[in-house]
Structure formats: structure tokens, C-alpha cells
């Protein structure tokens, strides 16, 4: 089975937290479909970084590590990216999206609210 990983992620754009969440979900599907859990941790991390792209690889290089083994731990790397992306929420944009949402045709009030 030859599956393509998700497209590279752009971590220098608006609402990085939302983009990271979507990309991470796509990668988790890829992870399961390719049975990456059967591979060693270093290989899992390398595939994650390859799929994420050059921007994510540059950010990975800036992470500080407790020990050398953490660099190759897939779960630890995901957690580092979660911590990196979460504070980069664009609150102004999220508020705009919330207040700009209009009720659509044939949409019930309960669904809209």
C-alpha cells in the first residue's frame, strides 16, 4: 500500500494552532494506515518531520530537550509541537469568525446557536 503523507504544514501563517490541529489529525490517520507504530521511535519521528516539511524541521531544531532520547520519541516531539503551536492562536481572528457567522438557509435556530 502506497499512501501519501499530508501536505507540508505552514507554521508561519495566521492561526497556527488551528492549522497544526488539522494537520496533526491528518498525520495521525496516515500514522495508523501505514502502521508506523511498528517502527522504532527514531523512524517515526523522522517520518513525522519529513511529512511536516522544512518549516517544521527548522522549528524542531529550536526545541530544548531534557535528554538525547527525547529527540527521537514520537510522542514527545508531538507534544513539543503542540506546546509551540497552542500559544499562537489568533484570538482576534477567532472572534471575527464567531461574530461573522450568520444563520444559513434551512438551518434551524438550534443548530445555528
Amino acid at each position: 500500500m502506497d499512501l501519501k503523507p499530508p501536505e507540508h504544514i505552514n507554521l508561519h501563517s495566521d492561526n497556527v494552532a488551528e492549522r497544526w490541529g488539522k494537520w496533526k489529525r491528518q498525520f495521525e490517520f496516515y500514522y495508523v494506515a501505514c502502521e508506523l507504530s511498528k517502527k522504532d521511535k527514531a523512524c517515526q519521528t523522522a517520518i513525522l518531520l519529513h511529512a511536516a516539511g522544512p518549516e517544521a524541521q527548522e522549528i524542531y531544531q529550536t526545541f530544548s530537550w531534557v535528554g538525547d532520547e527525547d529527540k527521537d520519541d514520537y510522542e514527545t516531539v508531538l507534544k513539543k509541537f503542540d506546546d509551540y503551536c497552542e500559544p499562537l492562536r489568533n484570538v482576534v481572528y477567532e472572534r471575527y469568525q464567531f461574530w461573522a457567522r450568520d444563520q444559513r438557509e434551512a438551518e434551524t435556530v438550534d443548530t445555528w446557536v
Side-chain angles (χ1 to χ4, degrees), residues 6-12 16 18-24 51-56 81 85:
E7 297 290 322
H8 296 327
I9 184 169
N10 181 1
L11 293 172
H12 298 292
V16 173
E18 183 179 329
R19 284 182 183 270
W20 169 250
K22 288 179 181 178
W23 188 89
K24 182 180 170 185
E55 289 179 28
F81 275 106
C85 293

